[in-house]
Amino acid sequence: MATVADILQFIETLAPRSMKMDWDNVGLLCGSRSTPVTKVLVALDPFEHVCQEAADWGAELIVTHHPLIFRPLPNVTDETSIGRGLMTLIKHDISAINAHTNLDCADGGVNDTLAEILGLADVSIIGSEHLLRAGNFESDLPAFLSHVKAKLGCEGLRYVDGGKPVCKVAVGGGSCGSALTEVAEAGCDTFVTADVKYNQFWDAGELGINLIDAGHFQTENPVCAVLAEKIRKAFPETEVVLSKNHYDCMKFY
């Protein structure tokens, strides 16, 4: 039977710790390496309702993209959502593993998955941190916006029209708006990312970049299915499922 240590070692072959950003927190953040694992719940975030879902299902491990503990915690109590989530995991002897910026950068990780879902061709790595991906896709901007919205299941998109047709597209799941200059230097005319700031939209217009904010959840969540399938194939005796209760909390009115 696989243990938490076995699954952690496998995940870190897919997304090595050496690829993470210095400020990040990845790996085993709760639980024991020696715990036998028969059920794994995979989700983008280790939020309280995901932890409870794991407990209700009888999972011994949750695997997420975002870390359970990101900044030092002053306490762990039932007065905060993070505290309640941790208490649920500890009470039910559930371990928590995450792969964050290392999975963003990794081959077949967040950004390769995003590029694949959007149908980009001739995909390559761009950017000084080897994080972003870029590929070819020929379209006018309105048709590409519709394509992105449908492929990622977005309720809406924020965007700026850079005044160019879509030919070379950069993608960066999550908050990558600060990489706009690198996207321009790579010769891209379009950039799909999330959490874009007001001034970054203005900067994109000045640079002639079609900048599309497709949402943090929508640009990163697709990798969860890929990660779950890889764990499932590596550990066929272990039941691996995606969270049925996790969703984007942001809505459009």
Side-chain angles (χ1 to χ4, degrees):
M1 182 182 297
T3 65
V4 169
D6 295 327
I7 296 174
L8 174 62
Q9 182 180 31
F10 172 71
I11 290 172
E12 292 187 344
T13 63
L14 302 175
R17 290 180 63 90
S18 61
M19 300 183 77
K20 79 175 185 70
M21 305 301 177
D22 291 341
W23 46 263
D24 202 7
N25 193 20
V26 304
L28 179 64
L29 302 191
C30 178
S32 171
R33 295 173 186 266
S34 62
T35 299
V37 178
T38 63
K39 294 181 177 181
V40 180
L41 183 71
V42 179
L44 185 68
D45 299 289
F47 290 153
E48 178 185 0
H49 63 280
V50 172
C51 296
Q52 187 60 55
E53 181 181 1
D56 292 342
W57 181 48
E60 298 91 2
L61 175 65
I62 62 170
V63 174
T64 64
H65 177 47
H66 293 135
L68 176 66
I69 302 169
F70 187 59
R71 298 179 180 86
L73 298 176
N75 53 56
V76 178
T77 73
D78 63 359
E79 296 175 352
T80 67
S81 179
I82 293 176
R84 290 190 296 272
L86 273 167
M87 291 172 67
T88 297
L89 296 182
I90 294 168
K91 178 180 178 179
H92 294 277
D93 197 20
I94 301 171
S95 298
I97 291 171
N98 85 290
H100 191 207
T101 51
N102 49 332
L103 189 61
D104 289 332
C105 298
D107 290 342
V110 170
N111 292 315
D112 279 327
T113 299
L114 181 55
E116 181 178 356
I117 285 180
L118 293 181
L120 306 189
D122 302 320
V123 175
S124 61
I125 298 171
I126 64 170
S128 59
E129 295 179 329
H130 306 289
L131 172 65
L132 305 179
R133 302 295 188 267
N136 300 326
F137 192 104
E138 294 190 6
S139 173
D140 58 43
L141 182 58
F144 186 68
L145 290 169
S146 180
H147 173 75
V148 171
K149 186 174 180 180
K151 289 294 184 180
L152 299 182
C154 306
E155 289 190 43
L157 301 172
R158 297 193 302 152
Y159 74 96
V160 66
D161 186 340
K164 296 177 182 177
V166 176
C167 295
K168 186 174 181 180
V169 180
V171 296
S175 305
C176 294
S178 61
L180 186 60
T181 300
E182 291 184 296
V183 167
E185 290 173 349
C188 298
D189 49 69
T190 304
F191 186 21
V192 180
T193 184
D195 299 347
V196 177
K197 295 180 179 180
Y198 176 76
N199 65 292
Q200 290 166 345
F201 281 115
W202 279 102
D203 293 341
E206 291 289 331
L207 290 168
I209 302 291
N210 305 311
L211 179 57
I212 302 169
D213 186 329
H216 201 119
F217 182 90
Q218 287 81 5
T219 56
E220 292 190 330
N221 191 56
V223 80
C224 293
V226 174
L227 184 57
E229 182 59 23
K230 289 179 178 179
I231 298 171
R232 194 177 294 120
K233 287 183 177 179
F235 302 95
E237 296 181 358
T238 303
E239 193 173 356
V240 184
V241 302
L242 288 171
S243 171
K244 297 179 176 63
N245 297 324
H246 192 32
Y247 54 87
D248 186 13
C249 66
M250 288 181 280
K251 302 299 178 186
F252 289 82
Y253 181 75

